[in-house]
Structures are given as structure tokens and as C-alpha cells.
PDB file of all heavy atoms in Angstrom:
ATOM      1  N   MET Q   1      80.061 -45.832  13.741  1.00 97.00           N
ATOM      2  CA  MET Q   1      79.351 -46.354  12.548  1.00 97.00           C
ATOM      3  C   MET Q   1      80.076 -45.797  11.251  1.00 97.00           C
ATOM      4  O   MET Q   1      80.294 -46.577  10.358  1.00 97.00           O
ATOM      5  CB  MET Q   1      77.871 -46.017  12.520  1.00 97.00           C
ATOM      6  CG  MET Q   1      77.112 -46.716  13.534  1.00 97.00           C
ATOM      7  SD  MET Q   1      75.267 -46.602  13.260  1.00 97.00           S
ATOM      8  CE  MET Q   1      75.009 -44.854  13.470  1.00 97.00           C
ATOM      9  N   LYS Q   2      80.399 -44.574  11.263  1.00 96.00           N
ATOM     10  CA  LYS Q   2      81.121 -43.947  10.101  1.00 96.00           C
ATOM     11  C   LYS Q   2      82.467 -44.607   9.958  1.00 96.00           C
ATOM     12  O   LYS Q   2      82.921 -44.883   8.832  1.00 96.00           O
ATOM     13  CB  LYS Q   2      81.283 -42.456  10.282  1.00 96.00           C
ATOM     14  CG  LYS Q   2      81.916 -41.772   9.107  1.00 96.00           C
ATOM     15  CD  LYS Q   2      81.935 -40.238   9.229  1.00 96.00           C
ATOM     16  CE  LYS Q   2      82.671 -39.575   8.070  1.00 96.00           C
ATOM     17  NZ  LYS Q   2      82.108 -39.878   6.731  1.00 96.00           N
ATOM     18  N   ALA Q   3      83.174 -44.886  11.101  1.00 95.00           N
ATOM     19  CA  ALA Q   3      84.477 -45.484  10.999  1.00 95.00           C
ATOM     20  C   ALA Q   3      84.362 -46.906  10.422  1.00 95.00           C
ATOM     21  O   ALA Q   3      85.187 -47.253   9.526  1.00 95.00           O
ATOM     22  CB  ALA Q   3      85.138 -45.553  12.411  1.00 95.00           C
ATOM     23  N   LEU Q   4      83.414 -47.657  10.863  1.00 94.00           N
ATOM     24  CA  LEU Q   4      83.251 -49.073  10.431  1.00 94.00           C
ATOM     25  C   LEU Q   4      82.753 -49.171   9.053  1.00 94.00           C
ATOM     26  O   LEU Q   4      82.952 -50.134   8.361  1.00 94.00           O
ATOM     27  CB  LEU Q   4      82.402 -49.810  11.459  1.00 94.00           C
ATOM     28  CG  LEU Q   4      82.864 -49.959  12.864  1.00 94.00           C
ATOM     29  CD1 LEU Q   4      81.892 -50.686  13.713  1.00 94.00           C
ATOM     30  CD2 LEU Q   4      84.234 -50.707  12.928  1.00 94.00           C
ATOM     31  N   ALA Q   5      81.993 -48.147   8.552  1.00 93.00           N
ATOM     32  CA  ALA Q   5      81.439 -48.196   7.216  1.00 93.00           C
ATOM     33  C   ALA Q   5      82.464 -47.937   6.209  1.00 93.00           C
ATOM     34  O   ALA Q   5      82.265 -48.333   5.026  1.00 93.00           O
ATOM     35  CB  ALA Q   5      80.287 -47.193   7.144  1.00 93.00           C
ATOM     36  N   ALA Q   6      83.553 -47.256   6.538  1.00 90.00           N
ATOM     37  CA  ALA Q   6      84.578 -46.927   5.545  1.00 90.00           C
ATOM     38  C   ALA Q   6      85.547 -48.116   5.377  1.00 90.00           C
ATOM     39  O   ALA Q   6      85.759 -48.857   6.300  1.00 90.00           O
ATOM     40  CB  ALA Q   6      85.366 -45.660   6.002  1.00 90.00           C
ATOM     41  N   LYS Q   7      86.108 -48.173   4.178  1.00 88.00           N
ATOM     42  CA  LYS Q   7      87.095 -49.285   3.952  1.00 88.00           C
ATOM     43  C   LYS Q   7      88.387 -48.922   4.695  1.00 88.00           C
ATOM     44  O   LYS Q   7      88.949 -49.757   5.414  1.00 88.00           O
ATOM     45  CB  LYS Q   7      87.357 -49.398   2.421  1.00 88.00           C
ATOM     46  CG  LYS Q   7      86.106 -50.038   1.710  1.00 88.00           C
ATOM     47  CD  LYS Q   7      86.378 -50.397   0.271  1.00 88.00           C
ATOM     48  CE  LYS Q   7      85.244 -51.052  -0.374  1.00 88.00           C
ATOM     49  NZ  LYS Q   7      85.456 -51.398  -1.751  1.00 88.00           N
ATOM     50  N   THR Q   8      88.949 -47.729   4.430  1.00 90.00           N
ATOM     51  CA  THR Q   8      90.121 -47.274   5.105  1.00 90.00           C
ATOM     52  C   THR Q   8      90.013 -45.800   5.245  1.00 90.00           C
ATOM     53  O   THR Q   8      89.759 -45.082   4.243  1.00 90.00           O
ATOM     54  CB  THR Q   8      91.404 -47.566   4.369  1.00 90.00           C
ATOM     55  OG1 THR Q   8      91.495 -49.048   4.213  1.00 90.00           O
ATOM     56  CG2 THR Q   8      92.643 -47.084   5.182  1.00 90.00           C
ATOM     57  N   THR Q   9      90.071 -45.251   6.482  1.00 92.00           N
ATOM     58  CA  THR Q   9      89.890 -43.768   6.685  1.00 92.00           C
ATOM     59  C   THR Q   9      90.611 -43.319   7.911  1.00 92.00           C
ATOM     60  O   THR Q   9      90.887 -44.151   8.852  1.00 92.00           O
ATOM     61  CB  THR Q   9      88.366 -43.434   6.817  1.00 92.00           C
ATOM     62  OG1 THR Q   9      88.278 -41.992   6.966  1.00 92.00           O
ATOM     63  CG2 THR Q   9      87.740 -44.132   7.988  1.00 92.00           C
ATOM     64  N   GLN Q  10      91.036 -42.091   7.922  1.00 93.00           N
ATOM     65  CA  GLN Q  10      91.624 -41.504   9.108  1.00 93.00           C
ATOM     66  C   GLN Q  10      90.685 -40.740  10.022  1.00 93.00           C
ATOM     67  O   GLN Q  10      91.037 -40.237  11.011  1.00 93.00           O
ATOM     68  CB  GLN Q  10      92.813 -40.592   8.643  1.00 93.00           C
ATOM     69  CG  GLN Q  10      93.908 -41.253   7.835  1.00 93.00           C
ATOM     70  CD  GLN Q  10      94.679 -42.302   8.681  1.00 93.00           C
ATOM     71  OE1 GLN Q  10      95.009 -42.034   9.830  1.00 93.00           O
ATOM     72  NE2 GLN Q  10      94.946 -43.463   8.105  1.00 93.00           N
ATOM     73  N   THR Q  11      89.442 -40.485   9.468  1.00 94.00           N
ATOM     74  CA  THR Q  11      88.519 -39.630  10.147  1.00 94.00           C
ATOM     75  C   THR Q  11      87.193 -40.390  10.453  1.00 94.00           C
ATOM     76  O   THR Q  11      86.931 -41.433   9.743  1.00 94.00           O
ATOM     77  CB  THR Q  11      88.149 -38.419   9.353  1.00 94.00           C
ATOM     78  OG1 THR Q  11      87.613 -38.775   8.095  1.00 94.00           O
ATOM     79  CG2 THR Q  11      89.448 -37.595   9.121  1.00 94.00           C
ATOM     80  N   ILE Q  12      86.487 -39.978  11.458  1.00 95.00           N
ATOM     81  CA  ILE Q  12      85.233 -40.624  11.863  1.00 95.00           C
ATOM     82  C   ILE Q  12      84.017 -39.702  11.984  1.00 95.00           C
ATOM     83  O   ILE Q  12      83.092 -39.888  12.686  1.00 95.00           O
ATOM     84  CB  ILE Q  12      85.393 -41.430  13.150  1.00 95.00           C
ATOM     85  CG1 ILE Q  12      85.684 -40.462  14.325  1.00 95.00           C
ATOM     86  CG2 ILE Q  12      86.543 -42.443  13.055  1.00 95.00           C
ATOM     87  CD1 ILE Q  12      85.717 -41.106  15.679  1.00 95.00           C
ATOM     88  N   GLY Q  13      84.111 -38.518  11.210  1.00 95.00           N
ATOM     89  CA  GLY Q  13      83.019 -37.609  11.267  1.00 95.00           C
ATOM     90  C   GLY Q  13      83.276 -36.458  12.171  1.00 95.00           C
ATOM     91  O   GLY Q  13      84.400 -36.261  12.704  1.00 95.00           O
ATOM     92  N   ASN Q  14      82.286 -35.651  12.440  1.00 97.00           N
ATOM     93  CA  ASN Q  14      82.414 -34.447  13.274  1.00 97.00           C
ATOM     94  C   ASN Q  14      81.509 -34.615  14.465  1.00 97.00           C
ATOM     95  O   ASN Q  14      80.244 -34.716  14.370  1.00 97.00           O
ATOM     96  CB  ASN Q  14      81.987 -33.204  12.493  1.00 97.00           C
ATOM     97  CG  ASN Q  14      82.197 -31.897  13.232  1.00 97.00           C
ATOM     98  OD1 ASN Q  14      81.526 -31.653  14.204  1.00 97.00           O
ATOM     99  ND2 ASN Q  14      83.192 -31.099  12.766  1.00 97.00           N
ATOM    100  N   PHE Q  15      82.147 -34.594  15.684  1.00 97.00           N
ATOM    101  CA  PHE Q  15      81.379 -34.860  16.877  1.00 97.00           C
ATOM    102  C   PHE Q  15      80.299 -33.792  17.051  1.00 97.00           C
ATOM    103  O   PHE Q  15      79.173 -34.115  17.433  1.00 97.00           O
ATOM    104  CB  PHE Q  15      82.298 -34.786  18.077  1.00 97.00           C
ATOM    105  CG  PHE Q  15      81.614 -34.767  19.454  1.00 97.00           C
ATOM    106  CD1 PHE Q  15      80.985 -35.929  19.914  1.00 97.00           C
ATOM    107  CD2 PHE Q  15      81.460 -33.580  20.126  1.00 97.00           C
ATOM    108  CE1 PHE Q  15      80.369 -35.877  21.173  1.00 97.00           C
ATOM    109  CE2 PHE Q  15      80.758 -33.501  21.361  1.00 97.00           C
ATOM    110  CZ  PHE Q  15      80.151 -34.660  21.868  1.00 97.00           C
ATOM    111  N   TRP Q  16      80.588 -32.559  16.839  1.00 97.00           N
ATOM    112  CA  TRP Q  16      79.673 -31.441  17.034  1.00 97.00           C
ATOM    113  C   TRP Q  16      78.375 -31.593  16.127  1.00 97.00           C
ATOM    114  O   TRP Q  16      77.327 -31.313  16.532  1.00 97.00           O
ATOM    115  CB  TRP Q  16      80.294 -30.077  16.814  1.00 97.00           C
ATOM    116  CG  TRP Q  16      81.479 -29.893  17.658  1.00 97.00           C
ATOM    117  CD1 TRP Q  16      82.771 -29.838  17.320  1.00 97.00           C
ATOM    118  CD2 TRP Q  16      81.574 -29.781  19.124  1.00 97.00           C
ATOM    119  NE1 TRP Q  16      83.614 -29.585  18.329  1.00 97.00           N
ATOM    120  CE2 TRP Q  16      82.926 -29.600  19.494  1.00 97.00           C
ATOM    121  CE3 TRP Q  16      80.581 -29.783  20.113  1.00 97.00           C
ATOM    122  CZ2 TRP Q  16      83.307 -29.450  20.828  1.00 97.00           C
ATOM    123  CZ3 TRP Q  16      80.943 -29.666  21.457  1.00 97.00           C
ATOM    124  CH2 TRP Q  16      82.291 -29.546  21.739  1.00 97.00           C
ATOM    125  N   ASN Q  17      78.628 -31.984  14.944  1.00 97.00           N
ATOM    126  CA  ASN Q  17      77.579 -32.239  13.994  1.00 97.00           C
ATOM    127  C   ASN Q  17      76.617 -33.297  14.405  1.00 97.00           C
ATOM    128  O   ASN Q  17      75.416 -33.146  14.460  1.00 97.00           O
ATOM    129  CB  ASN Q  17      78.117 -32.563  12.574  1.00 97.00           C
ATOM    130  CG  ASN Q  17      76.995 -32.704  11.537  1.00 97.00           C
ATOM    131  OD1 ASN Q  17      76.082 -31.880  11.492  1.00 97.00           O
ATOM    132  ND2 ASN Q  17      77.119 -33.739  10.743  1.00 97.00           N
ATOM    133  N   TYR Q  18      77.206 -34.484  14.859  1.00 97.00           N
ATOM    134  CA  TYR Q  18      76.406 -35.557  15.363  1.00 97.00           C
ATOM    135  C   TYR Q  18      75.660 -35.160  16.655  1.00 97.00           C
ATOM    136  O   TYR Q  18      74.515 -35.553  16.872  1.00 97.00           O
ATOM    137  CB  TYR Q  18      77.304 -36.765  15.651  1.00 97.00           C
ATOM    138  CG  TYR Q  18      77.901 -37.374  14.407  1.00 97.00           C
ATOM    139  CD1 TYR Q  18      79.164 -37.964  14.521  1.00 97.00           C
ATOM    140  CD2 TYR Q  18      77.239 -37.470  13.223  1.00 97.00           C
ATOM    141  CE1 TYR Q  18      79.773 -38.555  13.311  1.00 97.00           C
ATOM    142  CE2 TYR Q  18      77.845 -38.023  12.117  1.00 97.00           C
ATOM    143  CZ  TYR Q  18      79.118 -38.567  12.202  1.00 97.00           C
ATOM    144  OH  TYR Q  18      79.646 -39.125  11.132  1.00 97.00           O
ATOM    145  N   LEU Q  19      76.338 -34.393  17.507  1.00 97.00           N
ATOM    146  CA  LEU Q  19      75.683 -33.924  18.729  1.00 97.00           C
ATOM    147  C   LEU Q  19      74.409 -33.158  18.483  1.00 97.00           C
ATOM    148  O   LEU Q  19      73.383 -33.397  19.084  1.00 97.00           O
ATOM    149  CB  LEU Q  19      76.640 -33.130  19.581  1.00 97.00           C
ATOM    150  CG  LEU Q  19      76.190 -32.673  20.923  1.00 97.00           C
ATOM    151  CD1 LEU Q  19      76.177 -33.784  21.938  1.00 97.00           C
ATOM    152  CD2 LEU Q  19      77.080 -31.521  21.424  1.00 97.00           C
ATOM    153  N   VAL Q  20      74.567 -32.155  17.580  1.00 97.00           N
ATOM    154  CA  VAL Q  20      73.436 -31.264  17.340  1.00 97.00           C
ATOM    155  C   VAL Q  20      72.248 -32.078  16.608  1.00 97.00           C
ATOM    156  O   VAL Q  20      71.120 -31.972  16.936  1.00 97.00           O
ATOM    157  CB  VAL Q  20      73.830 -30.060  16.481  1.00 97.00           C
ATOM    158  CG1 VAL Q  20      72.632 -29.259  15.972  1.00 97.00           C
ATOM    159  CG2 VAL Q  20      74.816 -29.183  17.268  1.00 97.00           C
ATOM    160  N   LEU Q  21      72.655 -32.894  15.639  1.00 97.00           N
ATOM    161  CA  LEU Q  21      71.655 -33.698  14.877  1.00 97.00           C
ATOM    162  C   LEU Q  21      70.904 -34.612  15.859  1.00 97.00           C
ATOM    163  O   LEU Q  21      69.695 -34.840  15.666  1.00 97.00           O
ATOM    164  CB  LEU Q  21      72.306 -34.453  13.789  1.00 97.00           C
ATOM    165  CG  LEU Q  21      72.808 -33.687  12.583  1.00 97.00           C
ATOM    166  CD1 LEU Q  21      73.513 -34.602  11.581  1.00 97.00           C
ATOM    167  CD2 LEU Q  21      71.704 -32.975  11.814  1.00 97.00           C
ATOM    168  N   SER Q  22      71.607 -35.133  16.805  1.00 97.00           N
ATOM    169  CA  SER Q  22      70.926 -36.116  17.763  1.00 97.00           C
ATOM    170  C   SER Q  22      69.841 -35.391  18.533  1.00 97.00           C
ATOM    171  O   SER Q  22      68.824 -35.970  18.909  1.00 97.00           O
ATOM    172  CB  SER Q  22      72.009 -36.638  18.774  1.00 97.00           C
ATOM    173  OG  SER Q  22      72.980 -37.405  18.020  1.00 97.00           O
ATOM    174  N   VAL Q  23      70.091 -34.129  18.837  1.00 96.00           N
ATOM    175  CA  VAL Q  23      69.075 -33.298  19.583  1.00 96.00           C
ATOM    176  C   VAL Q  23      67.941 -32.835  18.695  1.00 96.00           C
ATOM    177  O   VAL Q  23      66.772 -33.085  18.955  1.00 96.00           O
ATOM    178  CB  VAL Q  23      69.757 -32.090  20.325  1.00 96.00           C
ATOM    179  CG1 VAL Q  23      68.654 -31.249  20.897  1.00 96.00           C
ATOM    180  CG2 VAL Q  23      70.728 -32.599  21.386  1.00 96.00           C
ATOM    181  N   THR Q  24      68.354 -32.190  17.595  1.00 96.00           N
ATOM    182  CA  THR Q  24      67.300 -31.494  16.764  1.00 96.00           C
ATOM    183  C   THR Q  24      66.483 -32.466  15.919  1.00 96.00           C
ATOM    184  O   THR Q  24      65.298 -32.236  15.676  1.00 96.00           O
ATOM    185  CB  THR Q  24      67.969 -30.514  15.775  1.00 96.00           C
ATOM    186  OG1 THR Q  24      68.947 -31.154  14.955  1.00 96.00           O
ATOM    187  CG2 THR Q  24      68.646 -29.392  16.578  1.00 96.00           C
ATOM    188  N   ARG Q  25      67.103 -33.563  15.484  1.00 96.00           N
ATOM    189  CA  ARG Q  25      66.417 -34.519  14.534  1.00 96.00           C
ATOM    190  C   ARG Q  25      65.768 -35.711  15.202  1.00 96.00           C
ATOM    191  O   ARG Q  25      64.939 -36.368  14.662  1.00 96.00           O
ATOM    192  CB  ARG Q  25      67.359 -34.968  13.429  1.00 96.00           C
ATOM    193  CG  ARG Q  25      67.999 -33.866  12.603  1.00 96.00           C
ATOM    194  CD  ARG Q  25      66.948 -33.066  11.858  1.00 96.00           C
ATOM    195  NE  ARG Q  25      67.611 -32.076  10.993  1.00 96.00           N
ATOM    196  CZ  ARG Q  25      67.842 -32.222   9.719  1.00 96.00           C
ATOM    197  NH1 ARG Q  25      67.555 -33.363   9.106  1.00 96.00           N
ATOM    198  NH2 ARG Q  25      68.389 -31.248   9.031  1.00 96.00           N
ATOM    199  N   ILE Q  26      66.254 -36.061  16.422  1.00 97.00           N
ATOM    200  CA  ILE Q  26      65.781 -37.295  17.048  1.00 97.00           C
ATOM    201  C   ILE Q  26      65.205 -37.013  18.458  1.00 97.00           C
ATOM    202  O   ILE Q  26      63.991 -37.266  18.679  1.00 97.00           O
ATOM    203  CB  ILE Q  26      66.986 -38.290  17.205  1.00 97.00           C
ATOM    204  CG1 ILE Q  26      67.526 -38.578  15.809  1.00 97.00           C
ATOM    205  CG2 ILE Q  26      66.484 -39.570  17.829  1.00 97.00           C
ATOM    206  CD1 ILE Q  26      68.889 -39.315  15.809  1.00 97.00           C
ATOM    207  N   LEU Q  27      65.999 -36.544  19.386  1.00 97.00           N
ATOM    208  CA  LEU Q  27      65.507 -36.392  20.770  1.00 97.00           C
ATOM    209  C   LEU Q  27      64.437 -35.364  20.952  1.00 97.00           C
ATOM    210  O   LEU Q  27      63.434 -35.610  21.629  1.00 97.00           O
ATOM    211  CB  LEU Q  27      66.718 -36.092  21.661  1.00 97.00           C
ATOM    212  CG  LEU Q  27      67.824 -37.119  21.768  1.00 97.00           C
ATOM    213  CD1 LEU Q  27      69.029 -36.619  22.562  1.00 97.00           C
ATOM    214  CD2 LEU Q  27      67.285 -38.392  22.427  1.00 97.00           C
ATOM    215  N   LEU Q  28      64.623 -34.210  20.368  1.00 96.00           N
ATOM    216  CA  LEU Q  28      63.614 -33.113  20.583  1.00 96.00           C
ATOM    217  C   LEU Q  28      62.275 -33.440  19.958  1.00 96.00           C
ATOM    218  O   LEU Q  28      61.185 -33.272  20.566  1.00 96.00           O
ATOM    219  CB  LEU Q  28      64.171 -31.773  20.062  1.00 96.00           C
ATOM    220  CG  LEU Q  28      63.313 -30.553  20.311  1.00 96.00           C
ATOM    221  CD1 LEU Q  28      63.039 -30.380  21.754  1.00 96.00           C
ATOM    222  CD2 LEU Q  28      63.968 -29.299  19.768  1.00 96.00           C
ATOM    223  N   PRO Q  29      62.213 -33.908  18.684  1.00 97.00           N
ATOM    224  CA  PRO Q  29      60.881 -34.253  18.087  1.00 97.00           C
ATOM    225  C   PRO Q  29      60.138 -35.316  18.832  1.00 97.00           C
ATOM    226  O   PRO Q  29      58.951 -35.183  19.075  1.00 97.00           O
ATOM    227  CB  PRO Q  29      61.250 -34.686  16.657  1.00 97.00           C
ATOM    228  CG  PRO Q  29      62.569 -34.087  16.319  1.00 97.00           C
ATOM    229  CD  PRO Q  29      63.269 -34.052  17.665  1.00 97.00           C
ATOM    230  N   LEU Q  30      60.839 -36.361  19.208  1.00 97.00           N
ATOM    231  CA  LEU Q  30      60.212 -37.441  19.972  1.00 97.00           C
ATOM    232  C   LEU Q  30      59.749 -36.945  21.340  1.00 97.00           C
ATOM    233  O   LEU Q  30      58.681 -37.326  21.839  1.00 97.00           O
ATOM    234  CB  LEU Q  30      61.143 -38.620  20.097  1.00 97.00           C
ATOM    235  CG  LEU Q  30      61.459 -39.408  18.830  1.00 97.00           C
ATOM    236  CD1 LEU Q  30      62.587 -40.447  19.161  1.00 97.00           C
ATOM    237  CD2 LEU Q  30      60.180 -40.150  18.319  1.00 97.00           C
ATOM    238  N   SER Q  31      60.564 -36.057  21.943  1.00 96.00           N
ATOM    239  CA  SER Q  31      60.158 -35.499  23.335  1.00 96.00           C
ATOM    240  C   SER Q  31      58.910 -34.678  23.129  1.00 96.00           C
ATOM    241  O   SER Q  31      58.029 -34.694  24.079  1.00 96.00           O
ATOM    242  CB  SER Q  31      61.272 -34.697  23.875  1.00 96.00           C
ATOM    243  OG  SER Q  31      62.401 -35.459  24.103  1.00 96.00           O
ATOM    244  N   LEU Q  32      58.734 -33.929  22.127  1.00 96.00           N
ATOM    245  CA  LEU Q  32      57.532 -33.119  21.934  1.00 96.00           C
ATOM    246  C   LEU Q  32      56.269 -33.968  21.764  1.00 96.00           C
ATOM    247  O   LEU Q  32      55.230 -33.665  22.328  1.00 96.00           O
ATOM    248  CB  LEU Q  32      57.681 -32.224  20.677  1.00 96.00           C
ATOM    249  CG  LEU Q  32      58.717 -31.052  20.853  1.00 96.00           C
ATOM    250  CD1 LEU Q  32      58.921 -30.414  19.440  1.00 96.00           C
ATOM    251  CD2 LEU Q  32      58.222 -30.069  21.876  1.00 96.00           C
ATOM    252  N   ILE Q  33      56.418 -35.107  21.026  1.00 96.00           N
ATOM    253  CA  ILE Q  33      55.291 -36.004  20.883  1.00 96.00           C
ATOM    254  C   ILE Q  33      54.905 -36.639  22.250  1.00 96.00           C
ATOM    255  O   ILE Q  33      53.693 -36.685  22.628  1.00 96.00           O
ATOM    256  CB  ILE Q  33      55.582 -37.112  19.891  1.00 96.00           C
ATOM    257  CG1 ILE Q  33      55.837 -36.596  18.483  1.00 96.00           C
ATOM    258  CG2 ILE Q  33      54.546 -38.182  19.836  1.00 96.00           C
ATOM    259  CD1 ILE Q  33      56.394 -37.502  17.474  1.00 96.00           C
ATOM    260  N   VAL Q  34      55.910 -37.155  22.968  1.00 97.00           N
ATOM    261  CA  VAL Q  34      55.604 -37.772  24.263  1.00 97.00           C
ATOM    262  C   VAL Q  34      55.097 -36.717  25.233  1.00 97.00           C
ATOM    263  O   VAL Q  34      54.150 -37.006  26.003  1.00 97.00           O
ATOM    264  CB  VAL Q  34      56.886 -38.434  24.810  1.00 97.00           C
ATOM    265  CG1 VAL Q  34      56.637 -38.938  26.240  1.00 97.00           C
ATOM    266  CG2 VAL Q  34      57.285 -39.609  23.867  1.00 97.00           C
ATOM    267  N   GLY Q  35      55.668 -35.537  25.271  1.00 96.00           N
ATOM    268  CA  GLY Q  35      55.210 -34.493  26.142  1.00 96.00           C
ATOM    269  C   GLY Q  35      53.732 -34.135  25.939  1.00 96.00           C
ATOM    270  O   GLY Q  35      53.013 -33.840  26.872  1.00 96.00           O
ATOM    271  N   PHE Q  36      53.315 -34.049  24.663  1.00 96.00           N
ATOM    272  CA  PHE Q  36      51.929 -33.719  24.367  1.00 96.00           C
ATOM    273  C   PHE Q  36      51.000 -34.741  24.935  1.00 96.00           C
ATOM    274  O   PHE Q  36      49.967 -34.404  25.568  1.00 96.00           O
ATOM    275  CB  PHE Q  36      51.748 -33.611  22.827  1.00 96.00           C
ATOM    276  CG  PHE Q  36      50.279 -33.382  22.431  1.00 96.00           C
ATOM    277  CD1 PHE Q  36      49.764 -32.114  22.509  1.00 96.00           C
ATOM    278  CD2 PHE Q  36      49.557 -34.382  21.983  1.00 96.00           C
ATOM    279  CE1 PHE Q  36      48.432 -31.920  22.178  1.00 96.00           C
ATOM    280  CE2 PHE Q  36      48.263 -34.211  21.570  1.00 96.00           C
ATOM    281  CZ  PHE Q  36      47.714 -32.974  21.708  1.00 96.00           C
ATOM    282  N   ILE Q  37      51.338 -35.992  24.817  1.00 96.00           N
ATOM    283  CA  ILE Q  37      50.531 -37.059  25.386  1.00 96.00           C
ATOM    284  C   ILE Q  37      50.461 -36.961  26.896  1.00 96.00           C
ATOM    285  O   ILE Q  37      49.373 -37.129  27.482  1.00 96.00           O
ATOM    286  CB  ILE Q  37      51.073 -38.513  24.953  1.00 96.00           C
ATOM    287  CG1 ILE Q  37      50.975 -38.638  23.440  1.00 96.00           C
ATOM    288  CG2 ILE Q  37      50.254 -39.611  25.633  1.00 96.00           C
ATOM    289  CD1 ILE Q  37      51.720 -39.902  22.915  1.00 96.00           C
TER     290      ILE Q  37
END
């Protein structure tokens, strides 16, 4: 998405940053809600 959003770029973001954010901001919070139910 970062690559396609840019007009012209040599970089596409930081894999480690996206990896951690995917867990802490998306997967873990949703898992806690479902787990409680």
C-alpha cells in the first residue's frame, strides 16, 4: 500500500514496524475482545 500510494519512491516502509503494529494495534486488541466473549 505504501509503495502504490507514492508517486515515485525507492522505499516501501519498514517491515519490522508494520509487523509490530499489526500485532499491538490490530490482532491483540481484537483477540482480547473475542477471548472475553
Side-chain angles (χ1 to χ4, degrees):
M1 290 193 295
K2 183 174 176 60
L4 297 178
K7 290 186 176 181
T8 301
T9 182
Q10 299 295 318
T11 61
I12 65 172
N14 185 290
F15 169 77
W16 305 112
N17 183 45
Y18 294 145
L19 181 75
V20 171
L21 289 176
S22 298
V23 174
T24 59
R25 302 296 183 97
I26 302 167
L27 295 172
L28 186 58
L30 289 173
S31 295
L32 290 173
I33 294 170
V34 173
F36 176 77
I37 296 173

